[in-house]
Amino acid sequence: MSSLRKKRPEPSRYLTEAYYEALIAWQAAASSYGPTTNEGLRAECEALLRYEARLLDTRQFEAWMDLLTEDCVYWVPADMDADPRKAVTVSFDDRRRLEDRIIRIETGFAHNQLPDRRMRRLITNVEAWQAQDGQSRRVMANEHVFEHRTGKPRIDYVAGLDYWLENVRGDWLIKVKQVKLLNSLDGLDTPTLL
């Protein structure tokens, strides 16, 4: 028997039916939010998004992982409102898959990262709301990502961002990051992390 068959990746320990149901309910509630009224909350959340963008732009992936809850999901749907259990996604990664992806990128042998990608993110139109229990926040924003690779044409990604933040021992961490790419149904050249 091959050594690969002996070492099967562990399944996610938290992507249960209850988790998916909460995720779908969270996604469905997006259209019910009115305008942002708490400018202090919005500014605080915008600072977190700008910090996250800087960490990703400068490839500080370990520090970025520190911004995520232990039961996080990084979700790039192909169809904006699809249930990830029933539809193809560009990316639907739990924490283990994100860690695997980062380890692979950092080896220097990830062929889809060669030549090296240089990225810069612009975050705009940030809106934020706090749940009544004070333990979670929803943050929506727009993102424009410029990607440069030597010898390749520049790529622009434009997306709506939707975050579910949770208060974990006094720190606001990202439980869900959903990246709704405008061109998600087009062929994509394996984006790194959006």
Side-chain angles (χ1 to χ4, degrees):
M1 178 183 281
S2 128
S3 62
L4 289 177
R5 291 182 187 230
K6 292 178 189 173
K7 293 184 176 183
R8 295 191 184 263
E10 287 185 37
S12 174
R13 294 192 169 122
Y14 58 86
L15 288 179
T16 63
E17 265 318 292
Y19 190 102
Y20 279 110
E21 291 301 323
L23 187 63
I24 296 309
W26 169 79
Q27 177 180 289
S31 62
S32 69
Y33 284 80
T36 298
T37 57
N38 185 334
E39 282 303 308
L41 172 66
R42 188 202 57 75
E44 184 181 339
C45 292
E46 184 173 357
L48 175 65
L49 271 57
R50 285 195 317 257
Y51 178 56
E52 179 201 24
R54 178 165 49 93
L55 292 176
L56 290 171
D57 286 345
T58 57
R59 301 174 67 98
Q60 296 179 59
F61 298 126
E62 285 188 47
W64 177 67
M65 290 297 295
D66 290 342
L67 296 178
L68 307 176
T69 64
E70 290 299 315
D71 62 344
C72 64
V73 166
Y74 170 76
W75 180 13
V76 184
D79 181 357
M80 300 294 184
D81 297 315
D83 182 332
R85 295 169 294 184
K86 301 174 184 173
V88 173
T89 63
V90 175
S91 184
F92 189 84
D93 294 346
D94 63 2
R95 187 171 189 92
R96 181 188 56 84
R97 284 188 178 184
L98 284 171
E99 289 170 352
D100 288 349
R101 185 191 301 208
I102 288 167
I103 289 167
R104 186 170 162 269
I105 289 169
E106 290 180 341
T107 66
F109 296 108
H111 72 278
N112 69 341
Q113 298 299 309
L114 299 172
D116 190 34
R117 295 166 186 253
R118 294 180 184 175
M119 301 175 92
R120 285 294 177 261
R121 291 159 177 80
L122 302 176
I123 306 295
T124 65
N125 299 19
V126 177
E127 298 180 281
W129 303 267
Q130 185 146 318
Q132 289 185 354
D133 66 5
Q135 295 305 302
S136 66
R137 293 176 173 174
R138 184 172 209 139
V139 183
M140 295 182 198
N142 290 331
E143 177 183 50
H144 189 166
V145 181
F146 298 92
E147 179 182 279
H148 171 76
R149 298 173 78 186
T150 302
K152 304 277 186 180
R154 184 185 88 196
I155 299 175
D156 293 290
Y157 299 103
V158 177
L161 301 177
D162 202 346
Y163 290 85
W164 176 345
L165 304 181
E166 275 195 353
N167 189 326
V168 179
R169 294 179 296 282
D171 291 323
W172 288 100
L173 301 179
I174 301 166
K175 180 180 178 88
V176 176
K177 179 178 182 179
Q178 185 183 52
V179 181
K180 294 182 177 184
L181 288 169
L182 288 183
N183 63 335
S184 61
L185 297 176
D186 295 344
L188 297 172
D189 184 24
T190 55
T192 308
L193 291 166
L194 301 167

